[in-house]
C-alpha cells in the first residue's frame, strides 16, 4: 500500500456511542472545524469554552443541539492576569513577549497589549460534571499547562488530546512544548504527532522576499497525545473504538488505527480489525 487512503469516516463502519468532546479556546477558526463532521452526523457532542465576548456570541449563534458553550477563563482555578491584545485570538493569561514577537513581522502587530485585567480562572474539573471525556482540544495561548493542571480528575479519563504547544516564548514565562510534553508523559500519555506545525519568517524577510520554504523558525504546533499502549489495552472495547475512530477521522492515522485494532484482536475481538483493514485497502 502506498500513500494515504482516500477519505472515509470510521463511523460509517462501526456503531460507536456518542463521543464527548471538550474544546477550550473554542473561538471559530479553521482548525476547530476538524470535528464538525462528527457533530453534523450526530456521533459527537462538544462542550466549548471561550472567554472573548465576540467569539462567544458567534459560537452561541451557530450552536446546535450537539453543542454547548460557556464563557469562562479556564485554567488551574487560581486568580490570573488576562492580557487582551490587538488581535483577540492572541489574548492570554501570559504577557506578550513583545521583544521576541517583533522578530516576526507576521505576528508582531497581533500581539500588542491593549488592556490588562485580573480574572478568576476556573478548573475543567469544576466546570464539567461528566465522569469521563473522550477528547480534549486546548488552544489558550500559552496557558495550556494551567488547564491540564486544573483537570486531575478528567485528564486521566481522556482518550485523545490535541494541545497547542510553543517552541519559542511568544509570551513571557509561558510553558513550552518540553514542559507540556513532560507533564503529559507523567500523566500517562505519549506524543503521537503534530496535527500542524507553524513556521515563521524572521524579520525583515517576508513571503515576497524569500525563496520557497524560507521560513526557518518553528513557532507553535498542535500536538496530539493518546494514552500509553498498556493503558489502551485496558480500555473497554467501545472506548477503544472511539479512540480509533477519532484517530482516523481527525488525523488520518490509519496505520496506528490498524495497530490498535490488531491489539484488540488479541483480546478476542477480530471483526473490527478485519472490517477496517478491508475498508483501508479498498480506499487505497
Amino acid at each position: 500500500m502506498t500513500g494515504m487512503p482516500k477519505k472515509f469516516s470510521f463511523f460509517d463502519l462501526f456503531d460507536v456511542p456518542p463521543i464527548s468532546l471538550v474544546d477550550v479556546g473554542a473561538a471559530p477558526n479553521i482548525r476547530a472545524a476538524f470535528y464538525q463532521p462528527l457533530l453534523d452526523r450526530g456521533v459527537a457532542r462538544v462542550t466549548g469554552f471561550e472567554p472573548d465576548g465576540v467569539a462567544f456570541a458567534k459560537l452561541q449563534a451557530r450552536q446546535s443541539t450537539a453543542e454547548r458553550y460557556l464563557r469562562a477563563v479556564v485554567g488551574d482555578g487560581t486568580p490570573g492576569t488576562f492580557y487582551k491584545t490587538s488581535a483577540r485570538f492572541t489574548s492570554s493569561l501570559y504577557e506578550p513577549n513583545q521583544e521576541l514577537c517583533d522578530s516576526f513581522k507576521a505576528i508582531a502587530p497581533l500581539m500588542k497589549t491593549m488592556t490588562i485585567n485580573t480574572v478568576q480562572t476556573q478548573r475543567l474539573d469544576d466546570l464539567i460534571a461528566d465522569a469521563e471525556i473522550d477528547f480534549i482540544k486546548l488552544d489558550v495561548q500559552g496557558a495550556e499547562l494551567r488547564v491540564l493542571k486544573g483537570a486531575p480528575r478528567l485528564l486521566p479519563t481522556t482518550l485523545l488530546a490535541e494541545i497547542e504547544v510553543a517552541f519559542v516564548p511568544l509570551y513571557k514565562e509561558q510553558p513550552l512544548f518540553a514542559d507540556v510534553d513532560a507533564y503529559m508523559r507523567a500523566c500517562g500519555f505519549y506524543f503521537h504527532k503534530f496535527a500542524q506545525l507553524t513556521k515563521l519568517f524572521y524579520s525583515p524577510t517576508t513571503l515576497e522576499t524569500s525563496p520557497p520554504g524560507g521560513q526557518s523558525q518553528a513557532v507553535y504546533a498542535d500536538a496530539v497525545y493518546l494514552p500509553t499502549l498498556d493503558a489502551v489495552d485496558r480500555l473497554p472495547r467501545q472506548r477503544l473504538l472511539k479512540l480509533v475512530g477519532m484517530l482516523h477521522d481527525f488525523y488520518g492515522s490509519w496505520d496506528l488505527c490498524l495497530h490498535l485494532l490488531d491489539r484488540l484482536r488479541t483480546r478476542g475481538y477480530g471483526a473490527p480489525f478485519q472490517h477496517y483493514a478491508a475498508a483501508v485497502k479498498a480506499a487505497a
Side-chain angles (χ1 to χ4, degrees):
M1 184 184 299
T2 60
M4 180 72 188
K6 298 181 183 68
K7 184 69 174 178
F8 67 91
S9 175
F10 183 87
F11 301 95
D12 289 335
L13 306 178
F14 301 99
D15 184 16
V16 179
I19 292 170
S20 172
L21 311 174
V22 173
D23 189 342
V24 184
N29 58 57
I30 295 174
R31 275 293 298 151
F34 72 93
Y35 60 70
Q36 188 66 43
L38 296 194
L39 301 180
D40 294 341
R41 60 196 303 141
V43 298
R45 55 186 174 82
V46 62
T47 300
F49 301 92
E50 175 56 47
D52 179 74
V54 174
F56 177 69
K58 291 180 180 179
L59 290 167
Q60 282 192 310
R62 75 170 197 195
Q63 72 180 4
S64 66
T65 56
E67 300 166 86
R68 179 173 71 111
Y69 297 106
L70 301 173
R71 189 176 179 185
V73 180
V74 183
D76 56 9
T78 63
T81 302
F82 192 77
Y83 297 85
K84 187 173 181 178
T85 58
S86 46
R88 285 190 297 269
F89 59 86
T90 62
S91 299
S92 175
L93 287 168
Y94 288 90
E95 180 183 0
N97 186 354
Q98 197 65 54
E99 183 178 0
L100 177 61
C101 292
D102 286 343
S103 299
F104 305 105
K105 188 174 183 179
I107 63 170
L110 310 177
M111 301 288 290
K112 298 185 183 301
T113 299
M114 306 303 289
T115 61
I116 303 173
N117 295 292
T118 299
V119 295
Q120 177 63 49
T121 68
Q122 296 177 264
R123 303 190 321 152
L124 274 181
D125 278 5
D126 300 325
L127 292 165
I128 297 178
D130 297 6
E132 61 186 21
I133 57 178
D134 299 318
F135 176 82
I136 186 169
K137 168 188 160 286
L138 304 182
D139 182 358
V140 287
Q141 303 305 305
E144 288 77 14
L145 189 54
R146 289 194 191 187
V147 177
L148 293 170
K149 290 183 176 179
R153 175 179 61 86
L154 287 171
L155 184 59
T157 73
T158 304
L159 298 176
L160 197 61
E162 180 181 305
I163 306 168
E164 186 176 69
V165 295
F167 306 104
V168 294
L170 298 179
Y171 300 90
K172 295 180 180 179
E173 300 182 354
Q174 76 170 107
L176 299 178
F177 171 59
D179 305 301
V180 173
D181 183 69
Y183 187 81
M184 290 297 287
R185 286 187 286 109
C187 290
F189 293 82
Y190 77 96
F191 172 73
H192 172 46
K193 67 192 297 185
F194 290 127
Q196 63 85 31
L197 173 65
T198 297
K199 296 180 179 181
L200 294 178
F201 293 107
Y202 277 101
S203 298
T205 305
T206 64
L207 183 62
E208 292 74 22
T209 63
S210 170
Q215 298 101 321
S216 65
Q217 180 61 60
V219 179
Y220 57 87
D222 292 321
V224 179
Y225 287 87
L226 66 150
T228 62
L229 293 178
D230 286 346
V232 170
D233 286 341
R234 295 191 295 270
L235 289 173
R237 174 179 174 273
Q238 288 291 73
R239 290 211 83 203
L240 191 144
L241 290 179
K242 285 185 179 185
L243 171 60
V244 173
M246 291 185 291
L247 284 167
H248 174 89
D249 278 41
F250 295 168
Y251 306 113
S253 299
W254 58 267
D255 56 331
L256 176 56
C257 293
L258 281 168
H259 178 76
L260 296 181
L261 292 176
D262 192 39
R263 296 173 77 96
L264 183 63
R265 182 166 58 171
T266 67
R267 293 161 52 186
Y269 300 104
F273 175 86
Q274 295 164 6
H275 292 163
Y276 183 71
V280 171
K281 183 177 180 180

mmCIF file of all heavy atoms in Angstrom, residues 155-156 158-160 184-192 225-235 240 243 256 259-260 263 267:
data_model
loop_
_atom_site.group_PDB
_atom_site.id
_atom_site.type_symbol
_atom_site.label_atom_id
_atom_site.label_comp_id
_atom_site.label_asym_id
_atom_site.label_seq_id
_atom_site.Cartn_x
_atom_site.Cartn_y
_atom_site.Cartn_z
ATOM 1 N N LEU A 155 -8.548 14.512 33.131
ATOM 2 C CA LEU A 155 -7.473 14.201 32.187
ATOM 3 C C LEU A 155 -7.168 12.702 32.117
ATOM 4 O O LEU A 155 -7.002 12.169 31.011
ATOM 5 C CB LEU A 155 -6.201 14.986 32.545
ATOM 6 C CG LEU A 155 -5.031 14.810 31.577
ATOM 7 C CD1 LEU A 155 -5.401 15.241 30.164
ATOM 8 C CD2 LEU A 155 -3.806 15.590 32.066
ATOM 9 N N PRO A 156 -7.101 11.976 33.249
ATOM 10 C CA PRO A 156 -6.801 10.543 33.144
ATOM 11 C C PRO A 156 -7.861 9.739 32.398
ATOM 12 O O PRO A 156 -7.597 8.612 31.981
ATOM 13 C CB PRO A 156 -6.707 10.098 34.610
ATOM 14 C CG PRO A 156 -6.386 11.340 35.375
ATOM 15 C CD PRO A 156 -7.124 12.427 34.650
ATOM 16 N N THR A 158 -9.282 10.823 29.592
ATOM 17 C CA THR A 158 -9.290 11.296 28.210
ATOM 18 C C THR A 158 -8.623 10.289 27.275
ATOM 19 O O THR A 158 -7.552 9.755 27.580
ATOM 20 C CB THR A 158 -8.562 12.647 28.126
ATOM 21 O OG1 THR A 158 -9.175 13.567 29.031
ATOM 22 C CG2 THR A 158 -8.625 13.210 26.725
ATOM 23 N N LEU A 159 -9.250 10.057 26.134
ATOM 24 C CA LEU A 159 -8.703 9.128 25.149
ATOM 25 C C LEU A 159 -7.711 9.789 24.201
ATOM 26 O O LEU A 159 -6.775 9.140 23.729
ATOM 27 C CB LEU A 159 -9.838 8.517 24.315
ATOM 28 C CG LEU A 159 -10.880 7.683 25.065
ATOM 29 C CD1 LEU A 159 -11.974 7.237 24.106
ATOM 30 C CD2 LEU A 159 -10.222 6.476 25.724
ATOM 31 N N LEU A 160 -7.932 11.075 23.910
ATOM 32 C CA LEU A 160 -7.116 11.750 22.908
ATOM 33 C C LEU A 160 -7.088 13.233 23.245
ATOM 34 O O LEU A 160 -8.107 13.801 23.650
ATOM 35 C CB LEU A 160 -7.724 11.530 21.515
ATOM 36 C CG LEU A 160 -6.864 11.788 20.282
ATOM 37 C CD1 LEU A 160 -5.645 10.863 20.267
ATOM 38 C CD2 LEU A 160 -7.684 11.576 19.008
ATOM 39 N N MET A 184 2.421 15.685 30.254
ATOM 40 C CA MET A 184 1.558 14.664 29.660
ATOM 41 C C MET A 184 2.146 13.273 29.830
ATOM 42 O O MET A 184 1.419 12.309 30.119
ATOM 43 C CB MET A 184 1.326 14.979 28.177
ATOM 44 C CG MET A 184 0.461 16.203 27.935
ATOM 45 S SD MET A 184 -1.229 16.028 28.583
ATOM 46 C CE MET A 184 -1.936 14.873 27.394
ATOM 47 N N ARG A 185 3.449 13.138 29.673
ATOM 48 C CA ARG A 185 4.066 11.826 29.883
ATOM 49 C C ARG A 185 3.930 11.391 31.327
ATOM 50 O O ARG A 185 3.678 10.216 31.621
ATOM 51 C CB ARG A 185 5.527 11.865 29.449
ATOM 52 C CG ARG A 185 5.685 11.874 27.926
ATOM 53 C CD ARG A 185 7.125 11.736 27.469
ATOM 54 N NE ARG A 185 7.890 12.956 27.673
ATOM 55 C CZ ARG A 185 8.837 13.105 28.572
ATOM 56 N NH1 ARG A 185 9.138 12.104 29.395
ATOM 57 N NH2 ARG A 185 9.485 14.250 28.691
ATOM 58 N N ALA A 186 4.061 12.326 32.270
ATOM 59 C CA ALA A 186 3.905 11.995 33.692
ATOM 60 C C ALA A 186 2.469 11.577 34.002
ATOM 61 O O ALA A 186 2.233 10.834 34.965
ATOM 62 C CB ALA A 186 4.298 13.189 34.548
ATOM 63 N N CYS A 187 1.511 12.041 33.179
ATOM 64 C CA CYS A 187 0.106 11.696 33.385
ATOM 65 C C CYS A 187 -0.315 10.447 32.612
ATOM 66 O O CYS A 187 -1.508 10.110 32.567
ATOM 67 C CB CYS A 187 -0.778 12.876 32.985
ATOM 68 S SG CYS A 187 -0.675 14.294 34.104
ATOM 69 N N GLY A 188 0.636 9.770 31.974
ATOM 70 C CA GLY A 188 0.326 8.512 31.310
ATOM 71 C C GLY A 188 -0.017 8.611 29.842
ATOM 72 O O GLY A 188 -0.634 7.693 29.281
ATOM 73 N N PHE A 189 0.400 9.686 29.181
ATOM 74 C CA PHE A 189 0.159 9.862 27.760
ATOM 75 C C PHE A 189 1.475 9.841 26.992
ATOM 76 O O PHE A 189 2.540 10.054 27.579
ATOM 77 C CB PHE A 189 -0.552 11.198 27.483
ATOM 78 C CG PHE A 189 -1.952 11.268 28.013
ATOM 79 C CD1 PHE A 189 -2.192 11.569 29.349
ATOM 80 C CD2 PHE A 189 -3.034 11.021 27.191
ATOM 81 C CE1 PHE A 189 -3.485 11.628 29.850
ATOM 82 C CE2 PHE A 189 -4.333 11.083 27.672
ATOM 83 C CZ PHE A 189 -4.560 11.387 29.010
ATOM 84 N N TYR A 190 1.387 9.586 25.696
ATOM 85 C CA TYR A 190 2.586 9.725 24.868
ATOM 86 C C TYR A 190 2.255 10.487 23.592
ATOM 87 O O TYR A 190 1.118 10.499 23.119
ATOM 88 C CB TYR A 190 3.228 8.363 24.569
ATOM 89 C CG TYR A 190 2.569 7.515 23.514
ATOM 90 C CD1 TYR A 190 3.008 7.522 22.199
ATOM 91 C CD2 TYR A 190 1.519 6.657 23.844
ATOM 92 C CE1 TYR A 190 2.425 6.726 21.232
ATOM 93 C CE2 TYR A 190 0.919 5.845 22.894
ATOM 94 C CZ TYR A 190 1.376 5.891 21.586
ATOM 95 O OH TYR A 190 0.783 5.094 20.635
ATOM 96 N N PHE A 191 3.265 11.148 23.082
ATOM 97 C CA PHE A 191 3.120 12.003 21.906
ATOM 98 C C PHE A 191 2.971 11.153 20.653
ATOM 99 O O PHE A 191 3.742 10.218 20.431
ATOM 100 C CB PHE A 191 4.342 12.917 21.793
ATOM 101 C CG PHE A 191 4.394 13.721 20.519
ATOM 102 C CD1 PHE A 191 3.548 14.795 20.321
ATOM 103 C CD2 PHE A 191 5.298 13.393 19.517
ATOM 104 C CE1 PHE A 191 3.588 15.538 19.144
ATOM 105 C CE2 PHE A 191 5.349 14.121 18.344
ATOM 106 C CZ PHE A 191 4.495 15.204 18.156
ATOM 107 N N HIS A 192 1.977 11.516 19.834
ATOM 108 C CA HIS A 192 1.757 10.796 18.574
ATOM 109 C C HIS A 192 2.269 11.581 17.367
ATOM 110 O O HIS A 192 3.094 11.091 16.602
ATOM 111 C CB HIS A 192 0.273 10.485 18.410
ATOM 112 C CG HIS A 192 -0.085 9.921 17.063
ATOM 113 N ND1 HIS A 192 0.641 8.906 16.465
ATOM 114 C CD2 HIS A 192 -1.098 10.233 16.189
ATOM 115 C CE1 HIS A 192 0.106 8.616 15.284
ATOM 116 N NE2 HIS A 192 -0.936 9.408 15.095
ATOM 117 N N TYR A 225 -1.806 13.694 21.607
ATOM 118 C CA TYR A 225 -1.407 12.713 22.620
ATOM 119 C C TYR A 225 -2.503 11.676 22.812
ATOM 120 O O TYR A 225 -3.699 11.995 22.715
ATOM 121 C CB TYR A 225 -1.160 13.402 23.968
ATOM 122 C CG TYR A 225 0.107 14.224 24.025
ATOM 123 C CD1 TYR A 225 0.109 15.545 23.620
ATOM 124 C CD2 TYR A 225 1.294 13.667 24.484
ATOM 125 C CE1 TYR A 225 1.263 16.310 23.663
ATOM 126 C CE2 TYR A 225 2.456 14.417 24.534
ATOM 127 C CZ TYR A 225 2.436 15.726 24.120
ATOM 128 O OH TYR A 225 3.594 16.476 24.167
ATOM 129 N N LEU A 226 -2.088 10.443 23.100
ATOM 130 C CA LEU A 226 -3.018 9.397 23.495
ATOM 131 C C LEU A 226 -2.419 8.604 24.645
ATOM 132 O O LEU A 226 -1.211 8.707 24.915
ATOM 133 C CB LEU A 226 -3.361 8.474 22.327
ATOM 134 C CG LEU A 226 -2.270 7.598 21.724
ATOM 135 C CD1 LEU A 226 -2.892 6.317 21.161
ATOM 136 C CD2 LEU A 226 -1.574 8.347 20.582
ATOM 137 N N PRO A 227 -3.232 7.814 25.366
ATOM 138 C CA PRO A 227 -2.688 7.046 26.478
ATOM 139 C C PRO A 227 -1.641 6.044 26.009
ATOM 140 O O PRO A 227 -1.620 5.644 24.836
ATOM 141 C CB PRO A 227 -3.928 6.327 27.036
ATOM 142 C CG PRO A 227 -5.090 7.141 26.571
ATOM 143 C CD PRO A 227 -4.690 7.679 25.238
ATOM 144 N N THR A 228 -0.785 5.629 26.913
ATOM 145 C CA THR A 228 0.211 4.619 26.582
ATOM 146 C C THR A 228 -0.482 3.355 26.092
ATOM 147 O O THR A 228 -1.657 3.106 26.403
ATOM 148 C CB THR A 228 1.073 4.287 27.802
ATOM 149 O OG1 THR A 228 0.232 3.747 28.833
ATOM 150 C CG2 THR A 228 1.791 5.532 28.320
ATOM 151 N N LEU A 229 0.236 2.538 25.348
ATOM 152 C CA LEU A 229 -0.371 1.329 24.780
ATOM 153 C C LEU A 229 -0.857 0.378 25.865
ATOM 154 O O LEU A 229 -1.875 -0.302 25.686
ATOM 155 C CB LEU A 229 0.622 0.647 23.848
ATOM 156 C CG LEU A 229 0.958 1.421 22.567
ATOM 157 C CD1 LEU A 229 1.988 0.662 21.736
ATOM 158 C CD2 LEU A 229 -0.295 1.699 21.746
ATOM 159 N N ASP A 230 -0.166 0.314 26.983
ATOM 160 C CA ASP A 230 -0.639 -0.525 28.086
ATOM 161 C C ASP A 230 -2.005 -0.065 28.564
ATOM 162 O O ASP A 230 -2.892 -0.884 28.852
ATOM 163 C CB ASP A 230 0.354 -0.500 29.245
ATOM 164 C CG ASP A 230 1.608 -1.303 28.962
ATOM 165 O OD1 ASP A 230 1.587 -2.099 27.991
ATOM 166 O OD2 ASP A 230 2.603 -1.147 29.692
ATOM 167 N N ALA A 231 -2.177 1.255 28.679
ATOM 168 C CA ALA A 231 -3.461 1.798 29.105
ATOM 169 C C ALA A 231 -4.532 1.561 28.047
ATOM 170 O O ALA A 231 -5.690 1.257 28.374
ATOM 171 C CB ALA A 231 -3.326 3.285 29.412
ATOM 172 N N VAL A 232 -4.172 1.684 26.777
ATOM 173 C CA VAL A 232 -5.121 1.430 25.698
ATOM 174 C C VAL A 232 -5.610 -0.012 25.743
ATOM 175 O O VAL A 232 -6.796 -0.299 25.515
ATOM 176 C CB VAL A 232 -4.490 1.758 24.330
ATOM 177 C CG1 VAL A 232 -5.368 1.262 23.184
ATOM 178 C CG2 VAL A 232 -4.265 3.259 24.197
ATOM 179 N N ASP A 233 -4.713 -0.930 26.048
ATOM 180 C CA ASP A 233 -5.089 -2.346 26.113
ATOM 181 C C ASP A 233 -6.107 -2.626 27.209
ATOM 182 O O ASP A 233 -6.811 -3.641 27.167
ATOM 183 C CB ASP A 233 -3.846 -3.210 26.345
ATOM 184 C CG ASP A 233 -2.974 -3.324 25.100
ATOM 185 O OD1 ASP A 233 -3.483 -3.054 23.988
ATOM 186 O OD2 ASP A 233 -1.785 -3.663 25.238
ATOM 187 N N ARG A 234 -6.200 -1.735 28.186
ATOM 188 C CA ARG A 234 -7.161 -1.933 29.285
ATOM 189 C C ARG A 234 -8.497 -1.248 29.020
ATOM 190 O O ARG A 234 -9.431 -1.381 29.815
ATOM 191 C CB ARG A 234 -6.562 -1.415 30.601
ATOM 192 C CG ARG A 234 -5.340 -2.191 31.077
ATOM 193 C CD ARG A 234 -4.965 -1.818 32.502
ATOM 194 N NE ARG A 234 -4.542 -0.432 32.617
ATOM 195 C CZ ARG A 234 -3.285 -0.014 32.481
ATOM 196 N NH1 ARG A 234 -2.328 -0.893 32.198
ATOM 197 N NH2 ARG A 234 -2.966 1.269 32.608
ATOM 198 N N LEU A 235 -8.607 -0.532 27.912
ATOM 199 C CA LEU A 235 -9.849 0.162 27.611
ATOM 200 C C LEU A 235 -10.949 -0.827 27.240
ATOM 201 O O LEU A 235 -10.689 -1.830 26.563
ATOM 202 C CB LEU A 235 -9.654 1.119 26.433
ATOM 203 C CG LEU A 235 -8.810 2.370 26.664
ATOM 204 C CD1 LEU A 235 -8.593 3.094 25.329
ATOM 205 C CD2 LEU A 235 -9.469 3.303 27.667
ATOM 206 N N LEU A 240 -12.221 1.903 23.074
ATOM 207 C CA LEU A 240 -11.105 1.775 22.135
ATOM 208 C C LEU A 240 -11.559 2.104 20.718
ATOM 209 O O LEU A 240 -10.829 2.752 19.956
ATOM 210 C CB LEU A 240 -10.508 0.371 22.196
ATOM 211 C CG LEU A 240 -9.168 0.222 21.455
ATOM 212 C CD1 LEU A 240 -8.243 -0.730 22.178
ATOM 213 C CD2 LEU A 240 -9.377 -0.245 20.021
ATOM 214 N N LEU A 243 -11.552 5.808 20.330
ATOM 215 C CA LEU A 243 -10.195 6.312 20.120
ATOM 216 C C LEU A 243 -9.751 6.100 18.680
ATOM 217 O O LEU A 243 -9.238 7.024 18.029
ATOM 218 C CB LEU A 243 -9.230 5.618 21.087
ATOM 219 C CG LEU A 243 -7.733 5.863 20.860
ATOM 220 C CD1 LEU A 243 -7.393 7.344 20.963
ATOM 221 C CD2 LEU A 243 -6.905 5.048 21.855
ATOM 222 N N LEU A 256 -1.750 3.567 12.753
ATOM 223 C CA LEU A 256 -1.937 3.416 14.191
ATOM 224 C C LEU A 256 -3.291 2.785 14.485
ATOM 225 O O LEU A 256 -3.413 1.949 15.391
ATOM 226 C CB LEU A 256 -1.809 4.766 14.888
ATOM 227 C CG LEU A 256 -2.067 4.789 16.404
ATOM 228 C CD1 LEU A 256 -1.156 3.808 17.137
ATOM 229 C CD2 LEU A 256 -1.898 6.198 16.956
ATOM 230 N N HIS A 259 -2.951 -0.831 14.037
ATOM 231 C CA HIS A 259 -2.182 -1.397 15.144
ATOM 232 C C HIS A 259 -3.043 -1.577 16.386
ATOM 233 O O HIS A 259 -3.001 -2.635 17.036
ATOM 234 C CB HIS A 259 -0.985 -0.496 15.462
ATOM 235 C CG HIS A 259 -0.164 -0.977 16.610
ATOM 236 N ND1 HIS A 259 0.706 -2.042 16.510
ATOM 237 C CD2 HIS A 259 -0.081 -0.544 17.902
ATOM 238 C CE1 HIS A 259 1.285 -2.250 17.681
ATOM 239 N NE2 HIS A 259 0.829 -1.356 18.547
ATOM 240 N N LEU A 260 -3.835 -0.561 16.709
ATOM 241 C CA LEU A 260 -4.676 -0.650 17.914
ATOM 242 C C LEU A 260 -5.764 -1.712 17.747
ATOM 243 O O LEU A 260 -6.080 -2.439 18.696
ATOM 244 C CB LEU A 260 -5.289 0.710 18.217
ATOM 245 C CG LEU A 260 -4.300 1.821 18.578
ATOM 246 C CD1 LEU A 260 -5.044 3.123 18.881
ATOM 247 C CD2 LEU A 260 -3.424 1.431 19.762
ATOM 248 N N ARG A 263 -4.271 -5.065 18.250
ATOM 249 C CA ARG A 263 -4.129 -5.373 19.673
ATOM 250 C C ARG A 263 -5.479 -5.794 20.262
ATOM 251 O O ARG A 263 -5.543 -6.664 21.123
ATOM 252 C CB ARG A 263 -3.561 -4.163 20.414
ATOM 253 C CG ARG A 263 -2.155 -3.785 19.980
ATOM 254 C CD ARG A 263 -1.693 -2.492 20.612
ATOM 255 N NE ARG A 263 -1.297 -2.650 21.998
ATOM 256 C CZ ARG A 263 -0.051 -2.827 22.428
ATOM 257 N NH1 ARG A 263 0.944 -2.862 21.536
ATOM 258 N NH2 ARG A 263 0.233 -2.952 23.697
ATOM 259 N N ARG A 267 -7.419 -9.706 22.035
ATOM 260 C CA ARG A 267 -8.348 -9.854 23.157
ATOM 261 C C ARG A 267 -9.623 -10.579 22.733
ATOM 262 O O ARG A 267 -10.578 -10.690 23.517
ATOM 263 C CB ARG A 267 -8.694 -8.475 23.725
ATOM 264 C CG ARG A 267 -7.528 -7.767 24.383
ATOM 265 C CD ARG A 267 -7.732 -6.262 24.524
ATOM 266 N NE ARG A 267 -8.991 -5.888 25.165
ATOM 267 C CZ ARG A 267 -9.427 -4.631 25.294
ATOM 268 N NH1 ARG A 267 -8.678 -3.628 24.822
ATOM 269 N NH2 ARG A 267 -10.576 -4.380 25.877
#
